[in-house]
Every structure is written in structure tokens, then in C-alpha cells.
Amino acid sequence: NPSDYLGKTLDGRYRLDSVLGQGGMGLVFAGLQTSMQRPVAVKTLNPALAMAPTFFERFKREAELASKLRHPNIITIYDFGRAADGTCYFVMELIEGESLRQQVKRDGPMPLRRAAAIIEQAALGLQHAHNQNVVHRDVKPHNIMISAVDGHEYVKVLDFGLVKVLEQEEEEQLTSTGQVLG
């Protein structure tokens, strides 16, 4: 329940101020990294998922992979962990903007030039991930955020929770058949 978290400080470091979204995997909050007074987005994962054997090892590995992706068109992961109460979480940059899905739903089709610019930026971010042998596996308008800075549009690809590493050996050790995180 989102209200269980609001106004509280997660893991002694991240104050959770408001709910940004809710999905099958868990909740996303706007919050504050208290040590630096830095605005952040905090994604908490559904506790039922965290109970699964090997879940935290896989979660940790995928968070580590996603945090190594450094590109202007990929969301920056600052931190991840498991709080004393068992809550697993990611901490990311907080983006002021809205998803491509929200924009299209509200405004309908967009001009070709703008659509091409958005796709190009998302593709640059995904190309960077591919160069690191990371595949996103859930690219959709919901996971593409658009923000405006000084009159220019910037695109960030979000939610690398379904990442797949192109290293078969490691993959076999940590992923059971039919099991995906995301």
C-alpha cells in the first residue's frame, strides 16, 4: 500500500514524498536523498517478489548492470538495496517530464520530425546499452520519458528491470527457466 511508505524515510536515507506510479513490479515514488537534499525517484519492488529464492541476487545483479549504463538518454541509477524490513529498491534520477505514452494519449499523433527526434535519442541510449552487452527487453512508450530543458527536448529510456545480459554462462547460473524480473 503506497500510504504505508509516504512521508517515511526508506533505509534511513531516502524520504518518500509522493507516488509517481504503480505497476505489477511495485511502486515509484518522488523523494529526497536526505544526505544531499537531492530529489530522486525511488522504485520499491513488490514484497511478494522479494520472497522468491535467489530474487535478491538477481535483483542486485540487474541493478548493478543498469547502474553501469552511463548515457544522456538512459536514466541514471544512483543506488539500490534492501531495507531492514526487506523492501528492495532502486534510486534513480528524478526526471521532470512525462512519458511518451502520456503525451501521445493526451495529444494524439505527433509531427514526424518530432517523433523521429524522440526515436533517435531513445535509439542512441539503447545502442549504448547494446555496446555494454545489455538488452532492455521492454521498450515501449511508457518507458520513454521526455523532459524539456532550456527549450530543448531530452529523452531518457527507463526501466532496465528486464535487462538481459548477453553472457550465456552467467545467465544460466542465475536465471531459472521462464523467470524474468520486471
Side-chain angles (χ1 to χ4, degrees):
N1 187 353
S3 57
D4 295 345
Y5 292 98
L6 287 176
K8 298 206 168 83
T9 300
L10 180 65
D11 217 7
R13 299 183 296 174
Y14 303 104
R15 190 183 72 216
L16 306 178
D17 296 328
S18 63
V19 177
L20 293 175
Q22 187 167 3
M25 282 291 287
L27 299 162
V28 181
F29 297 91
L32 192 72
Q33 181 179 8
T34 55
S35 64
M36 301 176 75
Q37 298 295 299
R38 171 169 57 182
V40 292
V42 179
K43 183 174 191 174
T44 60
L45 300 178
N46 186 325
L49 291 171
M51 300 299 281
T54 73
F55 174 86
F56 188 71
E57 283 311 305
R58 291 181 55 242
F59 164 74
K60 181 176 179 229
R61 179 169 159 264
E62 295 188 12
E64 286 169 347
L65 286 168
S67 70
K68 287 178 185 160
L69 300 176
R70 300 202 197 298
H71 190 275
N73 299 118
I74 294 178
I75 190 144
T76 302
I77 309 279
Y78 297 138
D79 194 10
F80 60 91
R82 181 164 43 187
D85 69 359
T87 303
C88 293
Y89 63 90
F90 284 101
V91 180
M92 303 163 278
E93 67 179 305
L94 181 64
I95 298 168
E96 299 293 334
E98 58 185 356
S99 73
L100 179 58
R101 178 177 185 254
Q102 289 170 306
Q103 286 197 5
V104 170
K105 194 173 182 180
R106 185 189 61 236
D107 302 333
M110 60 180 59
L112 180 59
R113 187 178 300 275
R114 180 168 178 240
I118 290 168
I119 291 167
E120 181 182 21
Q121 287 188 53
L124 288 169
L126 293 170
Q127 179 181 11
H128 172 76
H130 294 176
N131 290 344
Q132 309 296 313
N133 292 322
V134 173
V135 179
H136 188 289
R137 295 205 293 193
D138 195 27
V139 178
K140 58 187 179 186
H142 185 81
N143 288 335
I144 296 175
M145 285 291 290
I146 302 169
S147 62
V149 180
D150 296 334
H152 297 281
E153 273 194 335
Y154 293 92
V155 171
K156 296 267 187 181
V157 179
L158 313 179
D159 206 353
F160 276 77
L162 281 178
V163 295
K164 177 176 175 61
V165 187
L166 301 173
E167 293 169 18
Q168 198 56 39
E169 214 173 289
E170 265 189 70
E171 193 67 14
E172 286 168 4
Q173 288 173 3
L174 283 173
T175 306
S176 354
T177 306
Q179 202 177 27
V180 289
L181 173 59

